[in-house]
Amino acid sequence: MESLFGVGNGSAPDRNLALEFCRGTEAAAMLAGRWMGRGDKNAADGAAVSAMRYMLNTVDMDGIVVIGEGEKDEAPMLFNGEKLGTGKGVPIDIAVDPIDGTRLTAMGLSGAISVVAGAPRGTMFNPKSVFYMDKLVTGPEAKDAIDITVGPAENVRRVAEAKHKAVGDVTVVVLDRPRHEKLIEEIRSVGARIKLIPDGDIGGALLTCKTERGADLLMGIGGTPEAVITACAVKALGGAMECRLWAKNEGQLASALKDGFDMDRIIRLDDLVSSDDVFFAATGITDGDFLSGVRYDGARIVTSSLVMRSKSGTVRFLTAEHQPRKLDMLSGMKYTASSR
């Protein structure tokens, strides 16, 4: 049986595809970063998609996008079902978000990243018509403590106990949305701290697995595609995740029920990505709590990336220097700054 990272029983993988995927996130971040603070989300997204697609199509793999955003005729997105790679090598499912935080990028706010995750074919959860999930994420120290059925306050208490800290020392990451008013009130009622983020809950979930200057929990409703990508990262980092599907309106609920989903079912980490042979790559676009943003310095561009393999448990933080003029010639894209 061929493994995601090698042949046979996987004891001697021939290469780390996560490192190759990092080339895709680096490329996307470098081109998207040119649009930081310029107020054009579509231009930033289009640049990131073009760069990521170009790079991922150079990788020897038989990849299919199972978690994307958009359809074939709706540029500028990597669409569900799109084939990526040279077609050679192992068949894999790919989850992509060329920019997690397009608004953050366009407004020059912190926390935007470019992300790719992958796993063996058929092992990623397919959300179909369900666009949102209620999520609960924590890091390795409290992975056995969380339970989405007991409510926010109790989960805060459980995580505090598991991490041997006071409830008042617990920090919870929550997307800043009107739908979270009640959630925020309940977290505050037990005395926990809250880190509100405007967008980018993949990056927010990563904070729960960070030992220094991180957070303890992520709670609240966010995108289902982002949940699957997050699951790949959390699995590699040894954390835990529990979710329930959530419908924004009656139309979404009807679609979910038609597709056979049980809205009350607890969806755990292994339901979101069943394989233990998972990889994840992310590159910072704007400065964030986990990764630095892209730095432009005339003759060079500096990127900061995170690369992980769940099978080996290896976590790499990579700083890379790129020469934009050479990238222009190799790719036919515009990595150098425009002059006016």
Side-chain angles (χ1 to χ4, degrees), residues 59-72:
V59 178
D60 280 339
M61 64 176 179
D62 177 15
I64 293 181
V65 176
V66 297
I67 300 295
E69 293 179 294
E71 303 299 331
K72 187 173 183 178

Side-chain angles (χ1 to χ4, degrees), residues 47-64:
V49 167
S50 296
M52 181 172 283
R53 179 180 281 122
Y54 175 86
M55 283 297 184
L56 295 186
N57 276 329
T58 68
V59 178
D60 280 339
M61 64 176 179
D62 177 15
I64 293 181

Side-chain angles (χ1 to χ4, degrees), residues 238-260:
M241 185 171 181
E242 293 191 355
C243 303
R244 277 187 297 213
L245 299 173
W246 185 82
K248 190 175 183 179
N249 51 48
E250 291 298 322
Q252 289 187 10
L253 177 60
S255 294
L257 295 176
K258 183 179 179 181
D259 285 335

Side-chain angles (χ1 to χ4, degrees), residues 188-200:
R188 287 173 175 167
S189 72
V190 293
R193 292 155 30 98
I194 296 176
K195 180 180 177 64
L196 287 175
I197 56 174
D199 288 299

Side-chain angles (χ1 to χ4, degrees), residues 139-195:
E141 293 175 274
K143 67 179 182 179
D144 297 321
I146 61 172
D147 182 348
I148 200 168
T149 66
V150 301
E154 179 61 22
N155 274 297
V156 169
R157 295 187 188 99
R158 291 184 179 198
V159 168
E161 182 178 358
K163 300 184 81 168
H164 307 291
K165 58 168 64 177
V167 168
D169 292 335
V170 172
T171 302
V172 184
V173 180
V174 180
L175 272 174
D176 189 5
R177 298 287 187 275
R179 62 177 176 259
H180 289 149
E181 287 182 7
K182 185 177 178 180
L183 170 64
I184 290 169
E185 286 178 9
E186 188 164 353
I187 296 169
R188 287 173 175 167
S189 72
V190 293
R193 292 155 30 98
I194 296 176
K195 180 180 177 64

Side-chain angles (χ1 to χ4, degrees), residues 3 14 23 71 88 111 123 126 149 153 155 196 230 233 263 269 282 293-294 312 321 323 330:
S3 164
D14 56 357
R23 294 167 51 222
E71 303 299 331
K88 303 174 184 177
T123 62
N126 183 354
T149 66
N155 274 297
L196 287 175
T230 296
M263 304 300 285
L269 196 59
V294 183
S312 65
E321 293 187 6
Q323 296 187 37
L330 288 171

Side-chain angles (χ1 to χ4, degrees), residues 53 57 63-66 77-84:
R53 179 180 281 122
N57 276 329
I64 293 181
V65 176
V66 297
M77 298 308 302
L78 286 155
F79 59 90
N80 293 341
E82 179 173 353
K83 293 185 177 182
L84 292 174

